[in-house]
Amino acid sequence: MVDNPNADYVFDAFLDAQAYAEDGTVIGSSTAIATLLSGQTAVVGSFTIEGEELIDTIEVTAPEASQATLSPANETGSFAVDGLVGTPDPGGTSTRTPPGTATGTVSGRFADDQRYVAVTVVARAIDGRIVRAATAYVDEVPGDGTPVPFEAWFAEFPADVTLQASAHR
């Protein structure tokens, strides 16, 4: 989760994430590109980790304030995600946690339609830890606020999670 607390500034961001083992050793890295509007944006990356180490913490390097672009909030636009529902797949073949999906709609209020929008769904455990994440892509989101459905697929869908979603380009 990346937070842009600036109402009138946006970032076309290159994000770098480092995964750390419990002993503080870097065990993987990942990068992502996203336009960070005001508020929280969830961005998913993949880590290739050799060996048996487990990720203890993830640290994301976000852009510096000097890299922001002035974009007044009343002119910039925003995305909204509504009707978010998670459903485990009872017919899954995993011997661990079954797969599942998260569905909902994404809408946008912009001067122009938005193409290739990423909707990232984060699954949090009861204690608030992020335990899974998945991203769905929507080819076009109308700028007039018309909702468009999305479906994000989870290879493993844990029980008793709270879902949170955000959209970005």
Side-chain angles (χ1 to χ4, degrees):
M1 298 299 295
V2 181
D3 187 29
N4 175 7
N6 306 291
D8 295 323
Y9 288 88
V10 299
F11 294 87
D12 286 321
F14 177 81
L15 303 168
D16 182 40
Q18 301 292 319
Y20 294 90
E22 189 173 16
D23 66 2
T25 306
V26 174
I27 57 174
S29 63
S30 183
T31 59
I33 297 173
T35 299
L36 303 175
L37 301 175
S38 182
Q40 286 193 334
T41 303
V43 181
V44 173
S46 298
F47 295 100
T48 302
I49 299 172
E50 295 185 24
E52 299 296 319
E53 292 287 342
L54 296 176
I55 296 174
D56 182 62
T57 58
I58 297 174
E59 194 172 289
V60 177
T61 303
E64 298 291 325
S66 63
Q67 296 173 299
T69 301
L70 177 62
S71 184
N74 62 343
E75 298 173 12
T76 302
S78 62
F79 290 107
V81 177
D82 293 303
L84 185 61
V85 176
T87 310
D89 178 5
T93 58
S94 174
T95 56
R96 301 173 298 176
T97 308
T101 57
T103 59
T105 61
V106 60
S107 59
R109 291 285 179 188
F110 293 92
D112 299 309
D113 294 351
Q114 301 296 299
R115 298 194 61 186
Y116 312 118
V117 175
V119 180
T120 300
V121 181
V122 173
R124 291 184 181 272
I126 293 170
D127 64 5
R129 289 177 304 114
I130 296 173
V131 292
R132 295 283 184 273
T135 301
Y137 295 93
V138 179
D139 289 339
E140 189 167 314
V141 175
D144 66 2
T146 302
V148 178
F150 69 86
E151 179 178 69
W153 183 78
F154 287 81
E156 295 182 6
F157 195 90
D160 301 325
V161 294
T162 301
L163 298 178
Q164 172 184 9
S166 67
H168 67 86
R169 284 190 13 137

